[in-house]
Amino acid sequence: MREYEAVIGMEVHVESKTNSKMFCSCINGRGLETQPNINICPICTGHPGTLPVPNKQALVKLARFGQALQCSIADYTWFERKSYFYPDLPKGYQITQYERPLCYDGQIEIMTSKGPKHIRITRIHMEEDTGKLSHINGKTVVDYNRAGLPLMELVTEPDIRNAEEAKIFCEELQLILRYLDISDGDMDKGQMRCEVNISLREKGTETFGTKVEIKNLNSFRVVEQAIEYEIIRQTEVLERGESVIQETRGWDDGKAITFSQRKKENAHDYRYFVEPDIPPFKTADIIIEAASITAELPIAKRKRFLGEYQLASQQVEILVRNKALADYFEQTVSELKAWMISESKEFTPEEHTKLVKLSANYLLTELIKHYGEKGLTFDNSPITAENYAEFIKIVFSGEVSSTGAQTLLLQMIETGSDPSDIVESQGLKQVSDTNALQGIVDKVIAENPKVVLDYQNGNENVIQFLVGQVMRHSKGSANPQVAKQLLHDTIIQNK
Ligand code: ADP
Ligand code: ZN
Ligand code: MG
């Protein structure tokens, strides 16, 4: 069997998070409308005699998206009409951009399991969304609430080579959109829709094969699955000596297969021409306004977190993918830094690192788990970052044992109280004082004569059981190291 390589280009549509629709003053309800056809007007339903007015906020957001993807931004541009008939398109044409997209020639760096990879962005242009058809009981109904929403279309060069790259590419786009507040990019709400163009070629050859376009991929998982399926299907076609047909295919989620939908139209079928109702326009003020939207991009955050905090890359990834969580972590660290400066003692670099690592570890294992179970988020955290930093100080200084720390954290979530108060009121303070622990140790030894004998006969492992008993009797407050030493000393003395 010959070996094939996949060549993949993506087309991604994104609904922009603006106040109003693209060419009229209907609000941008982003699908939050409770009834069909309530958020419409003569412009977005294409009545004769109405005039579209471009939404500057949408163009600024598009330009910002382009800047984030290192695109050139056209200094002068215009809209075009793309004519076709479909019931979800009341005007009989879509206002879009064709000859001169606002953004072009960009690139994005993604981090794959095989290292960083650059994907070139061909263009990102501005257009308007269509209405939505629903097929109910053999009838088709149309809802124009979505008609005229600002929609951005991004096209990549065919630089992607496998399903993993395609998925990570889409995930990274979504993150950038969210970081810059351009769109929520929720795929299940249709705010971000991905189409895959995929062909195969024999490994080592340059020329591209015939491509197939796959539409209606509404999750990252499905993008990945459809590509994997299509690679197998096209390989089989080629191995049979047949050729791949250029067509549009859909995704059947139930069967997990792609299926033929239609042969692709050529561009000239759309009869693009310049939209006569919107004069061409200069973009200088759009570009300046876009550039004034400052936000750290995910890739910069990733690099900074790796360097500044020396966290593991998996930890960094969890933080980068959840902006509220990352902000929470950084607030905690800055609280801890302020505390270290205010203390009279000097902290060593190792102690700095230890505090940061403790913050990340408890946050990304314990707190994330509890919040997930209780449906809590870090935008609205019951534990303030200040209190969480206080908790880390308590753990760092050994004031509570690790068992005590778990109890403390849960109490903090329940009550939102100050951790020092909880330590006090719940008696969680770790007891390292041997005098204070001796009573419990004596009791545990008296209660477990067989285990003690085992230990005296050289079975050292059983000490862990006895330490556990001391922890239990002390309600988790005993310092386990001190307890272990004290048990050992007491047993040996009694021998
Ligand atoms: P069309 O004219 O069919 O719209 P384009 O050249 O505009 O095709 O490209 C559309 C998308 O398909 C782009 O993302 C591009 O990178 C990708 N693409 C183009 N040719 C191929 C190919 N042979 N195999 C895979 N993807 C391709
Ligand atoms: Zn309208
Ligand atoms: Mg094209």
Side-chain angles (χ1 to χ4, degrees):
M1 192 175 112
R2 281 173 294 241
E3 228 191 303
Y4 297 97
E5 171 181 59
V7 171
I8 300 165
M10 304 281 302
E11 290 173 280
V12 182
H13 283 89
V14 179
E15 273 177 10
S16 176
K17 197 171 161 182
T18 53
N19 299 326
S20 56
K21 287 190 179 181
M22 189 60 220
F23 298 110
C24 62
S25 53
C26 288
I27 60 156
N28 180 345
R30 296 199 306 280
L32 298 175
E33 294 92 352
T34 49
Q35 278 176 56
N37 298 306
I38 51 166
N39 187 20
I40 57 177
C41 75
I43 296 176
C44 55
T45 47
H47 288 224
T50 55
L51 285 174
V53 179
N55 178 338
K56 187 175 174 195
Q57 188 190 17
L59 291 165
V60 168
K61 291 205 175 212
L62 169 55
R64 187 65 189 85
F65 192 30
Q67 288 163 349
L69 300 181
Q70 299 175 46
C71 288
S72 302
I73 316 288
D75 56 353
Y76 175 77
T77 186
W78 55 85
F79 286 97
E80 272 120 335
R81 285 187 183 181
K82 177 182 180 177
S83 300
Y84 65 98
F85 171 76
Y86 208 62
D88 64 7
L89 186 71
K91 293 199 289 283
Y93 60 85
Q94 179 190 34
I95 305 179
T96 179
Q97 291 194 287
Y98 185 57
E99 281 292 321
R100 180 96 69 118
L102 183 63
C103 311
Y104 56 95
D105 285 354
Q107 62 158 345
I108 179 173
E109 183 184 316
I110 57 166
M111 191 47 92
T112 75
S113 58
K114 298 199 182 71
K117 155 118 194 180
H118 288 88
I119 294 158
R120 288 169 296 160
I121 308 295
T122 315
R123 54 186 285 150
I124 325 174
H125 72 246
M126 193 77 243
E127 59 185 40
E128 55 179 332
D129 211 344
T130 60
K132 206 170 177 176
L133 297 180
S134 307
H135 310 284
I136 301 167
N137 299 332
K139 294 204 177 77
T140 299
V141 291
V142 62
D143 173 12
Y144 290 125
N145 285 339
R146 198 179 73 177
L149 282 186
L151 195 66
M152 302 179 288
E153 181 179 336
L154 175 151
V155 182
T156 77
E157 290 296 300
D159 289 344
I160 297 169
R161 291 290 169 269
N162 57 49
E164 186 209 10
E165 288 175 11
K167 173 168 165 274
I168 295 174
F169 168 77
C170 294
E171 287 172 344
E172 192 69 9
L173 279 188
Q174 186 191 55
L175 270 186
I176 293 171
L177 291 165
R178 290 180 175 175
Y179 271 52
L180 292 168
D181 202 29
I182 293 170
S183 171
D184 292 336
D186 277 328
M187 288 183 77
D188 52 1
K189 292 189 187 141
Q191 293 164 348
M192 179 168 151
R193 298 163 228 160
C194 299
E195 288 160 33
V196 166
N197 295 270
I198 173 167
S199 62
L200 296 190
R201 65 179 172 195
E202 245 183 272
K203 244 204 169 119
T205 61
E206 287 290 312
T207 1
F208 292 156
T210 305
K211 75 171 154 69
V212 159
E213 186 180 350
I214 318 168
K215 282 189 186 280
N216 304 329
L217 303 173
N218 57 10
S219 72
F220 298 128
R221 178 186 58 86
V222 160
V223 166
E224 218 176 4
Q225 279 184 313
I227 291 173
E228 276 159 8
Y229 176 82
E230 199 57 26
I231 290 174
I232 294 170
R233 188 189 70 83
Q234 292 186 22
T235 303
E236 286 170 0
V237 169
L238 295 172
E239 281 296 291
R240 283 199 298 269
E242 296 167 13
S243 19
V244 172
I245 301 166
Q246 181 170 345
E247 61 183 349
T248 301
R249 298 178 73 87
W251 172 253
D252 182 329
D253 207 29
K255 297 190 186 136
I257 59 167
T258 67
F259 61 93
S260 179
Q261 280 185 319
R262 58 184 154 88
K263 292 250 160 65
K264 200 172 161 49
E265 307 88 349
N266 288 316
H268 62 252
D269 292 343
Y270 292 125
R271 304 221 1 183
Y272 284 98
F273 65 92
V274 175
E275 164 62 60
D277 289 338
I278 303 172
F281 55 98
K282 290 197 171 131
T283 58
D285 53 338
I286 290 168
I287 294 172
I288 292 168
E289 212 174 300
S292 74
I293 303 170
T294 49
E296 184 179 44
L297 291 177
I299 188 143
K301 199 187 272 299
R302 222 171 254 131
K303 286 177 179 164
R304 189 166 62 78
F305 275 29
L306 282 171
E308 199 170 314
Y309 303 124
Q310 296 169 26
L311 302 177
S313 60
Q314 294 96 312
Q315 290 188 318
V316 171
E317 207 48 42
I318 299 173
L319 290 170
V320 168
R321 281 168 192 242
N322 183 339
K323 193 164 168 293
L325 184 64
D327 290 346
Y328 188 82
F329 170 72
E330 292 212 278
Q331 276 173 36
T332 305
V333 172
S334 88
E335 292 280 347
L336 290 169
K337 283 195 172 144
W339 168 67
M340 285 188 278
I341 292 167
S342 73
E343 286 291 282
S344 52
K345 96 177 211 43
E346 280 274 336
F347 286 83
T348 65
E350 289 73 30
E351 286 172 323
H352 274 256
T353 312
K354 186 169 177 210
L355 274 162
V356 171
K357 292 226 159 117
L358 273 179
S359 310
N361 291 346
Y362 273 100
L363 181 62
L364 300 180
T365 54
E366 300 304 324
L367 214 45
I368 247 188
K369 186 183 74 196
H370 296 315
Y371 276 31
E373 283 165 5
K374 294 177 197 294
L376 300 166
T377 66
F378 287 89
D379 295 310
N380 203 345
S381 171
I383 303 181
T384 61
E386 195 185 344
N387 276 348
Y388 180 61
E390 189 70 36
F391 164 80
I392 294 298
K393 282 182 236 169
I394 290 171
V395 174
F396 175 79
S397 62
E399 241 181 275
V400 296
S401 67
S402 59
T403 326
Q406 304 287 357
T407 314
L408 176 55
L409 208 50
L410 279 170
Q411 288 281 325
M412 288 170 71
I413 297 172
E414 297 285 290
T415 63
S417 307
D418 195 283
S420 319
D421 292 348
I422 298 173
V423 169
E424 209 57 52
S425 67
Q426 305 283 317
L428 292 174
K429 222 180 196 71
Q430 173 161 267
V431 184
S432 306
D433 176 359
T434 48
N435 290 330
L437 288 178
Q438 189 68 58
I440 295 175
V441 163
D442 291 342
K443 191 165 174 230
V444 166
I445 289 173
E447 278 173 5
N448 297 281
K450 274 189 71 182
V451 184
V452 171
L453 198 63
D454 268 4
Y455 186 70
Q456 286 170 334
N457 290 335
N459 184 355
E460 288 185 7
N461 293 332
V462 300
I463 193 98
Q464 285 315 332
F465 171 79
L466 297 173
V467 172
Q469 292 303 303
V470 174
M471 295 310 289
R472 198 166 68 83
H473 282 293
S474 70
K475 297 202 186 75
S477 69
N479 178 327
Q481 272 83 41
V482 175
K484 189 174 171 183
Q485 190 62 48
L486 196 57
L487 278 161
H488 174 83
D489 295 346
T490 312
I491 292 170
I492 298 306
Q493 271 168 24
N494 292 352
K495 200 172 167 177

